[in-house]
Amino acid sequence: MGRQERVVRELVGAHGRTYAEEAGIRLKDTPQPLYRLLVLSHLLSARIRGSIALATARALHGAGLRDPRRMARAAWQERVDALGRGGYRRYDERTATQLGDAAELLNDRWGGDLRRLRAEADGEVPELRRLLQEFPGMGPAGADIFLREAQGVWPEAAPYLDAKALQGAERLNLPKEPKRLVALAGDTDPAVLAAALVRAAVDKEVAEDTLGRAR
């Protein structure tokens, strides 16, 4: 086994957990898990610690705001309060508005079902990425997070290793070509590989520890 393969094995072994899994989302190609992933991607895309975004996603679920109809029906203050319980206070008021508006758009245009958005994109990943950015608060970073995590259930997106994941690869002295990274990872789910690479990108200690153990 070459050094690069050892690096990937050590990285995935220690940090190979998707953000959806960490947020308690059992991701399937069904409406509610996909919606919860959309909300999580929105939260993670802000300039805020990932741990706070994850805690906030769990708080929204705990408050019953787990599908677009409930999110749209909830009072604005109810959304603000749930965001605050997760620690998402810096952006709580704006995000509460965006989550409500995004839920209404999803309900009105796609019947509350992101699989209909996927069908509209007709297998074209750039179009998927563009459509995701129509949701208020979902810029390019949010769309990338969603597709990184969803590629396991939306295989037309795989391998989806965006700029942030490739930043992690660079920090680990790995190739920056998605196909080469997937080959090094063997049978690892590309979504798991992507999440592990992102953790190396955002946390220097993850990268240093991985490189140390792969010697």
Side-chain angles (χ1 to χ4, degrees), residues 65 96 123 142:
L65 306 179

Side-chain angles (χ1 to χ4, degrees), residues 67-94:
D67 64 62
R69 286 178 175 76
R70 293 181 188 182
M71 185 70 80
R73 285 201 306 261
W76 178 81
Q77 189 63 50
E78 186 179 350
R79 294 193 293 268
V80 169
D81 291 345
L83 290 163
R85 285 194 293 276
Y88 211 82
R89 296 183 181 87
R90 182 177 172 189
Y91 302 103
D92 55 354
E93 295 188 356
R94 183 181 67 181

Side-chain angles (χ1 to χ4, degrees), residues 6-210:
R6 291 199 303 275
V7 169
V8 173
R9 183 188 64 183
E10 293 293 343
L11 176 70
V12 171
H15 305 285
R17 190 180 186 201
T18 66
Y19 286 88
E21 183 183 359
E22 195 169 343
I25 301 169
R26 302 178 78 178
L27 194 57
K28 298 184 289 185
D29 189 26
T30 54
Q32 189 177 112
L34 289 171
Y35 176 68
R36 291 183 63 197
L37 176 60
L38 182 74
V39 171
L40 175 63
S41 301
H42 180 159
L43 299 173
L44 283 167
S45 68
R47 294 182 180 276
I48 199 162
R49 286 204 309 273
S51 58
I52 292 176
L54 290 161
T56 302
R58 291 190 289 267
L60 288 166
H61 182 266
L65 306 179
R66 60 194 67 169
D67 64 62
R69 286 178 175 76
R70 293 181 188 182
M71 185 70 80
R73 285 201 306 261
W76 178 81
Q77 189 63 50
E78 186 179 350
R79 294 193 293 268
V80 169
D81 291 345
L83 290 163
R85 285 194 293 276
Y88 211 82
R89 296 183 181 87
R90 182 177 172 189
Y91 302 103
D92 55 354
E93 295 188 356
R94 183 181 67 181
T95 302
T97 299
Q98 290 173 337
L99 288 174
D101 292 344
E104 288 184 7
L105 175 62
L106 180 54
N107 289 329
D108 294 344
R109 183 165 171 185
W110 293 291
D113 189 344
L114 283 163
R115 295 175 301 180
R116 295 185 182 181
L117 178 150
R118 179 189 184 191
E120 185 175 322
D122 196 26
E124 297 295 328
V125 177
E127 181 65 3
L128 268 178
R129 191 171 184 269
R130 186 191 71 79
L131 289 171
L132 287 165
Q133 290 179 65
E134 294 198 12
F135 292 109
M138 279 285 285
D144 284 340
I145 294 166
F146 183 93
L147 291 170
R148 276 199 322 251
E149 295 278 315
Q151 63 185 311
V153 294
W154 288 4
E156 69 271 25
Y160 199 91
L161 301 177
D162 66 333
K164 183 61 72 175
L166 296 180
Q167 183 182 328
E170 183 175 26
R171 180 170 270 182
L172 292 163
N173 302 315
L174 295 171
K176 292 200 293 179
E177 295 79 22
K179 289 184 179 178
R180 288 183 64 190
L181 287 166
V182 169
L184 287 170
D187 60 359
T188 299
D189 184 335
V192 170
L193 172 63
L197 288 169
V198 168
R199 287 187 170 91
V202 300
D203 188 341
K204 189 176 181 181
E205 289 184 7
V206 168
E208 290 176 347
D209 178 63
T210 298

